Amino acid sequence: MKQNIYHQFITKKSSGKKSFAVLIDPDKVNAKSIAELVKLSIEAKVDYFFVGGSLVISHHLDECIQQIKAACSIPIILFPGSPSQVSKYADALLYLSLISGRNPELLIGQHVISAPFVKKSGLEIMPTGYMVIDGGAPTTVSYISNASPIPADKSEIAMCTAMAGEMLGMKLIYMDAGSGARRPITEHMIEKVAQHIDVPLIIGGGIVDPEKAYLNCKAGADIIVVGNAIEKDFSLISEISAAIHSVANVNAG
Ligand code: 1GP
């Protein structure tokens, strides 16, 4: 199995480098906005594009990815809300298991059904323990997943969930307060989880400014994902990217 991008994650983590992933929801972009987004992302040295959404209604996922690909070499990682959001044109796939929930369909059921198709895609597969944290508002992901999120102040539950995910073989942990969360994940929770796992930690949901992105990295996040705020204001790409890349991880080693 391919491991190019994952290998990059690990190398960056061991040297204390933090990464910025811009989330693109295919439902919310068109050819013109993709072109602008990609241009600004190249200038800002964005590390990755995550592509997907909890509910992708449009049918232009392949087209959207091909357009990004044609314009830059920033790796494209699928962040699918369902197995239908798999495109062979991407570089890698976050193979998500919703370990914070107790919905068997999202833990293993949909994976079984889509396994042959996913394998055939030739994508780099990255097994990811996906944890939804309460962000102060019911988000699409919590509704669609039919699973209750981990309460925002229960850092111990998050910590134990992430540890269990890692021991089950997950290569990444993604903690998400949900797109457009009112309250992003606290630094306390990020710190607690980061201290107890060795795999890279992805944090997203409700991050709207460079300061929060910076503090999350300081607390132990390895990859910061921002979608909603950038959709509203593209100029945030360079500010957030600069903040993330300015962090030198004192815990690196
Ligand atoms: C959502 O983590 C992502 O799944 C990003 O959230 O859109 O709120 O930035 P935002």
Side-chain angles (χ1 to χ4, degrees), residues 2-69:
K2 285 191 220 164
Q3 289 222 316
N4 308 348
I5 297 177
Y6 186 68
H7 189 252
Q8 215 181 80
F9 284 4
I10 296 295
T11 312
K12 284 189 183 176
K13 186 174 173 72
S14 58
S15 60
K17 285 199 182 121
K18 308 295 183 177
S19 300
F20 180 29
V22 169
L23 174 64
I24 299 179
D25 182 338
D27 278 346
K28 298 186 183 154
V29 287
N30 55 35
K32 192 164 165 258
S33 57
I34 292 176
E36 178 68 7
L37 202 72
V38 170
K39 181 176 157 276
L40 294 171
S41 298
I42 298 170
E43 285 168 11
K45 298 193 168 51
V46 164
D47 299 275
Y48 306 103
F49 285 120
F50 280 10
V51 177
S54 318
L55 190 70
V56 173
I57 301 162
S58 62
H59 298 288
H60 66 172
L61 179 66
D62 283 348
E63 206 182 303
C64 170
I65 292 173
Q66 283 173 298
Q67 198 194 333
I68 303 168
K69 266 250 116 94

Side-chain angles (χ1 to χ4, degrees), residues 9 15 29 31 33 36 39 47 57 66 72 87-88 101-102 109 159 167 177-178 189 194 204 210-211 217 223 229:
F9 284 4
S15 60
V29 287
S33 57
E36 178 68 7
K39 181 176 157 276
D47 299 275
I57 301 162
Q66 283 173 298
C72 70
S87 166
K88 63 177 182 188
R102 299 296 178 265
M159 176 190 95
M167 289 190 284
M189 184 180 275
E211 291 76 23
C217 290
I223 301 172

Side-chain angles (χ1 to χ4, degrees), residues 23 28 50 54 79 130 141 174-181 203-208 225-231:
L23 174 64
K28 298 186 183 154
F50 280 10
S54 318
F79 171 41
Y130 187 51
V141 64
Y174 187 160
M175 290 209 291
D176 195 347
S179 196
I203 299 291
I207 299 168
V208 297
V225 186
V226 182
N228 231 37
I230 289 173
E231 277 159 25

